[in-house]
Structure formats: C-alpha cells, structure tokens
Amino acid sequence: MMEKKSMNMDDYSIGSFPTYSLTNMFDLSEERSFMELLGVQNMNNSYSLLDSPLDVKESLAENNGNGKETSLNSQQQPATPNSSSISSASSEALNDEHNKTVDQANNHLQKQLKAKKTTNQKRQREARIAFMTKSEVDHLEDGYRWRKYGQKAVKNSPFPRSYYRCTSVSCNVKKHVERSLNDPTIVVTTYEGKHTHPNPVMGRSSVSHVGSLIPPPAAECTTTNFGGSENYLMSSPYYNHHRQQVLFNTLSSMGFPSKIPQERLVCSNPRVMDHGLLQDVVPSNMFKEEE
DNA sequence: CGTCTTTGACCCGCGC
DNA sequence: GCGCGGGTCAAAGACG
C-alpha cells in the first residue's frame, strides 16, 4: 500500500487561488497527484470516484461525519445502464394524465399536471456518476453550456445544492453541484444522462488533437460493467467530462488559454491511447484489459 | 432582446 | 395520513 499523503491546500495552491498544480497534474511520476485531483480514492483518502446515487449519498454522509444518514438513501438505484435512456411516458401514464386532466380541469391544476408529467417521464433515472473535486469554484467550466434550473438547501449543510441542465436542445443531461459539509473545498458534481451532442467547444478549441481536452461524443463512450468497477469509471463519458472540468478550471484559474502543452498530451502507452488524456497521467495499472 | 439566474411553489417518494 | 427532503417548474429579475 502506498503511503497516504493528505491533500494539503497549500500544496496545490497557485497564488491566491487554491487549485491544482499543473506540474503535478502532468508529471507522470506523480501518479498520485492526478488521481487525487480527479478525486479517485485509493489511499484511505476522502476523495472517491463514485458511480451511483447511493454511493454518492453514502459517501457524502461519511464525508459529513455521520454515517447514519438515512433519508439520503431514498434515491432509487438507477435503472440498468443499458436501458435505452429515458423512455417516454408509457401509454398507461398518458391515460392517467388524461383522466386527471378531465377530472381536474383548471389552470392551477394543469400547471401541476404539467409538472407531474415531466416527473413521470423522468422517474426512470439514468445512471448517475459523481465526482469530488477540490475547488473553490462551485460550477466548474467544462466546455458544455449549462443552465441552472434550481437550487435547494441541503439538510445539515450550509451549502446549497445547485441543479443544472445542458442547454443544448434535445440533450437532457443534468448535473447537480454541492459542497461537502466536512470539507467545503470539495465540490461534489453529480452527472445524470449522456450528452447527445459534441462538446460545443470542440469547434473552436485548439487542442482537438491527441489527448484532447474534449471528450468524445456520448455515443462513442460506451458504458461497460456498471458494477461500479474502475472499468466503468474509466469508460464512462463522465470520466472524460470531469477531468475536462478539472483541466479547464485549473487552466483558467492560472490564466492559461484553453491549451495544454502538446508534449504533455502525448500518450506514451499505445494500449491506453484511446482512453484519452487521462491515460497520460493515470497509472496504466488502473485500467483493466478489455476484450 | 436574448440568455441566464434566482426563488417560491409545487410534486413525488419515502419513512414514521 | 402526515411530514420531510429531494427534485423540478416557471415567473420575475438581472445582465450583457
């Protein structure tokens, strides 16, 4: 077991803006640093890469110092990941909607029904994945455009949870962002759904080459092995997504343009080349052989 | 004027 | 059945 090294803010601060050191990020000899940067727990640390709402909740509860959180577990386990996204409202549900409309036809109720229909459609949630990132910025820039559609106070926490939705039409990817109660410097970002479009930054980015910051379209990121293994995490589109967030955040906080020295983006291991930038800095043994 | 954020109200699921 | 907390809607306001 590697020796645990706590993530000290001082170690990762740049100027007055506490963030991550690019040196550590791209120094291949510092395998640990980037894993911590990404929030991958592997050394009894408090940073963990999560793959389900349940895991998120439990982790948050643990991180908040009380493992007895109960209501947080109310989230249903996500449907099977290979289910064909969010199915439209079933005919049964539609009939139900119709009956309700007939029974309760007034403006106020129609408004409620509208909301209810929407809720029904989203009852079968897509798999979620959460990342814990040490950052002062709540909403990490990631190239995608998000619209904030809600904010709620979190029980037992002074920090609210913000809800964002991808602004692209027909893309129903959502994410919510909250801070860890135990460590306010940690931002927990939870993604739900897959982008149905390329990253909007793709077209104007200067780093659309080997090891691009831009993750591939969702269609190219197949989710495998939903069992919560590293395999799933590594192949998840969110994995690219999140590390991109971190990179954007770090670079922008340092005054960098959205470009990374190419020599640092070259993948030295052909076996993991197709995984993208992360493979440059994540130890190869983190990846499992895929047939 | 278009886009985005804020915020109060509402619905739903769950536990008691 | 009731209360609570999570999640969402949508009107209003802010902003460039």
Side-chain angles (χ1 to χ4, degrees):
Chain A
M1 197 53 122
M2 294 176 62
E3 182 181 345
K4 174 183 173 183
K5 183 177 179 180
S6 63
M7 195 163 185
N8 190 323
M9 286 297 288
D10 294 334
D11 295 339
Y12 295 85
S13 297
I14 298 173
S16 60
F17 195 97
T19 177
Y20 305 93
S21 162
L22 266 184
T23 302
N24 281 339
M25 280 178 62
F26 297 106
D27 186 345
L28 299 185
S29 66
E30 284 283 338
E31 295 174 346
R32 175 194 53 77
S33 61
F34 195 79
M35 298 309 287
E36 287 182 354
L37 180 71
L38 283 175
V40 177
Q41 174 179 5
N42 59 351
M43 288 163 284
N44 301 325
N45 214 328
S46 59
Y47 312 104
S48 52
L49 202 56
L50 308 163
D51 65 342
S52 76
L54 194 60
D55 289 342
V56 175
K57 311 289 186 183
E58 287 174 349
S59 176
L60 280 176
E62 284 181 17
N63 213 33
N64 290 345
N66 54 353
K68 55 184 171 130
E69 192 69 35
T70 54
S71 62
L72 288 176
N73 290 335
S74 63
Q75 286 289 344
Q76 301 294 324
Q77 284 284 6
T80 53
N82 54 354
S83 62
S84 56
S85 71
I86 302 174
S87 59
S88 57
S90 64
S91 56
E92 188 178 5
L94 288 175
N95 287 336
D96 195 31
E97 280 307 307
H98 176 69
N99 292 336
K100 288 177 181 175
T101 305
V102 171
D103 292 341
Q104 308 163 340
N106 62 61
N107 288 339
H108 184 67
L109 213 53
Q110 283 184 359
K111 179 181 174 182
Q112 293 179 341
L113 287 172
K114 190 176 180 180
K116 187 166 188 171
K117 181 179 178 180
T118 303
T119 305
N120 284 339
Q121 286 178 331
K122 294 173 182 174
R123 186 156 300 165
Q124 288 186 327
R125 296 188 180 282
E126 299 211 19
R128 295 187 195 177
I129 187 166
F131 298 92
M132 302 173 78
T133 311
K134 208 174 182 74
S135 171
E136 276 196 344
V137 182
D138 284 344
H139 190 199
L140 303 173
E141 185 60 49
D142 59 4
Y144 287 96
R145 298 185 68 187
W146 301 92
R147 172 171 308 208
K148 188 175 183 177
Y149 67 90
Q151 178 173 304
K152 289 284 289 186
V154 179
K155 187 185 177 186
N156 296 328
S157 173
F159 309 105
R161 177 183 299 128
S162 298
Y163 299 88
Y164 297 90
R165 178 178 293 135
C166 183
T167 60
S168 180
V169 290
S170 76
C171 181
N172 61 348
V173 175
K174 287 176 284 187
K175 73 173 179 181
H176 56 252
V177 179
E178 63 184 288
R179 287 195 174 274
S180 167
L181 176 60
N182 199 40
D183 187 350
T185 65
I186 294 178
V187 175
V188 180
T189 306
T190 306
Y191 297 97
E192 178 180 341
K194 293 179 182 178
H195 288 285
T196 60
H197 56 95
N199 189 305
V201 178
M202 181 81 80
R204 48 189 164 95
S205 173
S206 59
V207 290
S208 56
H209 46 68
V210 175
S212 171
L213 286 176
I214 312 303
E220 299 176 21
C221 299
T222 55
T223 298
T224 62
N225 193 1
F226 182 67
S229 67
E230 291 164 0
N231 237 5
Y232 168 73
L233 296 171
M234 295 302 180
S235 59
S236 165
Y238 304 108
Y239 199 66
N240 282 327
H241 192 167
H242 182 70
R243 77 181 188 227
Q244 181 188 341
Q245 276 196 333
V246 174
L247 288 165
F248 264 82
N249 186 41
T250 304
L251 290 170
S252 61
S253 69
M254 296 177 67
F256 272 73
S258 59
K259 184 180 176 109
I260 289 180
Q262 284 197 25
E263 62 271 20
R264 285 300 191 187
L265 296 175
V266 174
C267 181
S268 58
N269 185 348
R271 188 172 66 85
V272 294
M273 178 74 97
D274 58 347
H275 285 279
L277 172 63
L278 190 63
Q279 279 61 38
D280 297 342
V281 287
V282 172
S284 58
N285 60 11
M286 287 292 294
F287 300 94
K288 294 182 179 178
E289 297 280 356
E290 287 188 71
E291 299 301 330

